[in-house]
Amino acid sequence: MIWNVAPEPADSAVAAALWRDYYTEVSDRYYLLHEGRRTDPDELEREIAAATGDDLAPPKGRLLVAWCAGEPGGSAGVRLLDADTAELTRVFVREPLRGKGAAPLLVRAAEDAARAMGAVRMILDTRNDLVEARALYARLGYAETEPHNDDVYAEHWFAKDLRSGDLN
């Protein structure tokens, strides 16, 4: 498969469709694991509408989309938290396209975008049940760290030095 990663406006129809797919999947996985049910449709619509993606707009953020054969297959967001630190978020590849190289490409493109914004360190958080994500981040040189936020859904925190790729 040939992938192309490009910036995408956070308020575009493509971004909205990918955010809906991402949020639906991670929310359903959480509720199925913890409560044996899928996300309540009203809650899903509220949460999707509440996440505008404004924090992923330039100059302090970027939304990147991986395209394959003219179709959007996944996304990754990066936002500058301070002069040195960026946060990786919304890393997602649509299910039929997983395992075909998009996720590492998206993360590396997000790292490049963070560097271009002046960041020297990338951080992220994820959950226990997102084992594929944790394996991806470890494979790409992220090290598990102490918590850097108090997000109720965060259970694992990672960081990477963008200057050298060293773990920190």
Side-chain angles (χ1 to χ4, degrees):
M1 293 200 131
I2 298 174
W3 291 99
N4 179 28
V5 175
E8 179 72 25
D11 61 353
S12 74
V14 167
L18 286 165
W19 170 240
R20 175 175 289 283
D21 290 352
Y22 167 86
Y23 190 83
T24 300
E25 180 174 333
V26 297
S27 184
D28 280 353
R29 280 178 72 162
Y30 179 84
Y31 281 116
L32 285 167
L33 178 66
H34 296 285
E35 297 181 15
R37 64 172 179 88
R38 294 194 179 281
T39 310
D40 174 86
D42 290 335
E43 176 190 354
L44 185 66
E45 292 308 315
R46 272 193 318 275
E47 293 303 317
I48 288 171
T52 63
D54 291 347
D55 56 339
L56 301 179
K60 294 192 174 197
R62 298 287 183 284
L63 178 65
L64 303 163
V65 170
W67 295 84
C68 181
E71 294 295 320
S75 63
V78 60
R79 59 181 157 235
L80 205 54
L81 299 178
D82 60 40
D84 295 326
T85 307
E87 182 178 29
L88 180 64
T89 186
R90 294 192 192 186
V91 177
F92 173 72
V93 175
R94 287 182 162 149
E95 204 264 324
L97 298 171
R98 292 183 187 154
K100 300 181 185 328
L105 193 63
L106 281 162
V107 172
R108 288 187 187 107
E111 291 171 355
D112 290 343
R115 282 186 204 94
M117 290 185 283
V120 296
R121 181 172 184 247
M122 184 82 88
I123 62 172
L124 64 95
D125 64 67
T126 192
R127 299 189 325 229
N128 277 330
D129 62 307
L130 300 177
V131 293
E132 307 91 342
R134 291 186 2 242
L136 170 71
Y137 301 134
R139 230 178 17 255
L140 295 178
Y142 287 80
E144 202 149 351
T145 65
E146 291 299 313
H148 58 259
N149 64 26
D150 59 359
D151 184 320
V152 298
Y153 297 108
E155 296 168 310
H156 296 270
W157 296 263
F158 291 84
K160 182 177 181 179
D161 184 327
L162 296 175
R163 294 168 292 199
S164 65
D166 290 341
L167 307 178
N168 63 349

